Amino acid sequence: MIYKGATCGVGAALILATVAFLLYKRHKRILEAQQRLAKEREGILNASGGGKAAKLFSGKEIKKATNDFSADRLLGVGGYGTDQVLNEVRILCQVNHRNLVGLLGCCVELEQPILVYEFIENGTLHDHLTGQMPKGRASLNWNNRLHIARDTSEGLSYFHFMAVPPIYHRDVKSSNILLDFKMNAKVSDFGLSRLAQTDMSHISTCAQGTLGYLDPEYYRNYQLTDKSDVYSFGVVLLELLTSQKAIDFNRASDDVNLAVYVQRMMDEEKLIEVIDPVLKNGASNIELDTMKALAFLALGCLEEKRQNRPSMKEVSEEIEYIISIASAKGVAKEVSK
């Protein structure tokens, strides 16, 4: 009995020692990760990359501003971890454009890091298109939609051609396009964005993004380029034209994917049938022509092979041209009255 008890005691001691060792190793890993994170935070917040510095808010300030995270102050909940939040800070500290949501600062004191943005009061493009805005809000007219398309394309074009190094958004979608009180569009949510290396044509990375907007070439070979954003933006253009969701299981099984659905209707010469009735009912011939022109542009963005897609700069220029046609018709109408 004594021998057995001694054996049990030694076994228990070994188990305790093993558990203690594992806990020590885990604590050490956490501590090292925290130290690396703190160093990275410091670099980002001090704009070590050459961009502007982010304002550092205290946990107390954040709790006061949100009434201790009251539900009535909640606009949305992100699904990103600490690294992705810091990535978003890094991205936003390097850019400044009227069609990109501005970063005011961040808080790293609380359990989860928090980003503080300028307030964009008019909700998301997705909410407007799908009728989820408060009652009384007017639906988006064709002029609104064209200008939202232009604003968004200019923000993305800035990312691709003016940022150094270029930036790929990776999650372009209607719910990441915010509208201010003048219905100007601002691109938001840069947690998945990646900085491109100037000597590389693409970035190899596991495919991330949102189904219905994801570039099929990126999904297949994990090579991210500016044309991946172009593809996603093409889906947004279809949403602007149709007011339908990128993925909708209420459509026929072959038409769940909006890009596939519109392409099929285009092939069958039924494009006009997919345009939002709010837009086409009562539209002039010129307005219908500009809707078709935007649809052709959208499908160009959705070309299977990325080399066949236009650049975001070319997309922006084409939208500006479509707007000029619509505006010229508007002026002609006024003159004829």
Side-chain angles (χ1 to χ4, degrees):
M1 293 290 292
I2 295 174
Y3 178 77
K4 186 177 180 180
T7 302
C8 291
V10 172
L14 285 173
I15 291 172
L16 287 173
T18 302
V19 171
F21 177 74
L22 292 174
L23 288 174
Y24 166 75
K25 292 288 287 184
R26 180 175 179 272
H27 176 73
K28 186 178 179 181
R29 285 197 303 271
I30 292 173
L31 185 62
E32 289 174 349
Q34 288 176 336
Q35 289 172 342
R36 288 197 303 270
L37 193 57
K39 187 175 181 180
E40 186 178 0
R41 284 173 175 166
E42 184 179 359
I44 292 171
L45 295 173
N46 291 331
S48 58
K52 64 182 179 182
K55 176 178 172 57
L56 188 60
F57 290 92
S58 68
K60 185 177 180 180
E61 289 176 303
I62 296 297
K63 288 181 178 180
K64 181 179 179 181
T66 61
N67 194 19
D68 201 17
F69 302 106
S70 174
D72 62 1
R73 299 286 181 92
L74 184 66
L75 296 179
V77 179
Y80 298 149
T82 298
D83 290 340
Q84 286 169 308
V85 168
L86 290 176
N87 184 57
E88 192 155 354
V89 176
R90 183 188 296 108
I91 299 292
L92 286 168
C93 282
Q94 299 183 52
V95 300
N96 181 29
H97 190 273
R98 64 183 179 277
N99 297 124
L100 301 175
V101 173
L103 176 72
L104 301 181
C106 63
C107 173
V108 294
E109 290 183 3
L110 303 174
E111 185 176 350
Q112 293 291 332
I114 292 174
L115 298 180
V116 181
Y117 297 100
E118 62 174 322
F119 178 58
I120 310 298
E121 55 277 272
N122 219 352
T124 72
L125 173 60
H126 180 270
D127 288 345
H128 279 271
L129 293 175
T130 56
Q132 297 181 44
M133 295 302 294
K135 291 181 179 179
R137 294 287 178 89
S139 59
L140 297 174
N141 61 36
W142 183 228
N143 184 61
N144 292 145
R145 299 189 199 205
L146 281 176
H147 283 81
I148 289 168
R150 181 195 61 190
D151 292 347
T152 306
S153 67
E154 289 184 352
L156 294 172
S157 182
Y158 171 88
F159 259 177
H160 294 174
F161 293 97
M162 299 303 293
V164 181
I167 299 169
Y168 306 151
H169 189 283
R170 272 211 296 180
D171 201 19
V172 177
K173 55 185 178 182
S174 57
S175 58
N176 282 342
I177 298 170
L178 305 183
L179 305 177
D180 67 14
F181 73 100
K182 291 183 177 179
M183 303 305 287
N184 298 311
K186 292 177 179 281
V187 180
S188 70
D189 207 340
F190 310 104
L192 291 182
S193 300
R194 294 294 296 270
L195 300 174
Q197 300 299 319
T198 53
D199 58 346
M200 294 176 63
S201 61
H202 67 269
I203 299 173
S204 294
T205 175
C206 290
Q208 290 180 279
T210 303
L211 289 178
Y213 299 89
L214 203 58
D215 172 9
E217 283 209 352
Y218 172 40
Y219 184 77
R220 281 195 299 267
N221 57 30
Y222 301 151
Q223 291 186 346
L224 176 71
T225 73
D226 61 325
K227 298 297 183 69
S228 301
D229 284 347
V230 171
Y231 184 93
S232 302
F233 182 68
V235 179
V236 172
L237 291 181
L238 295 186
E239 291 181 276
L240 284 165
L241 280 162
T242 66
S243 293
Q244 297 195 42
K245 297 176 182 178
I247 295 291
D248 191 346
F249 292 98
N250 291 318
R251 291 193 291 263
S253 58
D254 290 341
D255 297 332
V256 167
N257 185 297
L258 181 60
V260 173
Y261 170 46
V262 175
Q263 182 64 67
R264 178 179 68 78
M265 296 297 279
M266 177 75 82
D267 293 342
E268 296 176 6
E269 299 184 353
K270 297 178 181 177
L271 176 64
I272 199 69
E273 294 181 21
V274 303
I275 295 176
D276 184 352
V278 171
L279 296 178
K280 66 184 178 183
N281 292 344
S284 67
N285 289 335
I286 285 291
E287 288 170 330
L288 288 174
D289 286 343
T290 56
M291 291 173 197
K292 291 175 184 176
L294 198 71
F296 281 114
L297 176 61
L299 293 176
C301 295
L302 296 169
E303 283 282 348
E304 187 78 8
K305 294 183 178 179
R306 62 167 58 112
Q307 62 264 31
N308 294 335
R309 301 172 200 158
S311 69
M312 190 54 70
K313 184 182 292 185
E314 290 170 330
V315 171
S316 182
E317 290 171 352
E318 181 65 20
I319 293 172
E320 193 65 58
Y321 176 67
I322 293 172
I323 288 175
S324 71
I325 294 174
S327 298
K329 181 63 179 178
V331 170
K333 277 184 177 180
E334 290 299 320
V335 171
S336 65
K337 286 183 179 180

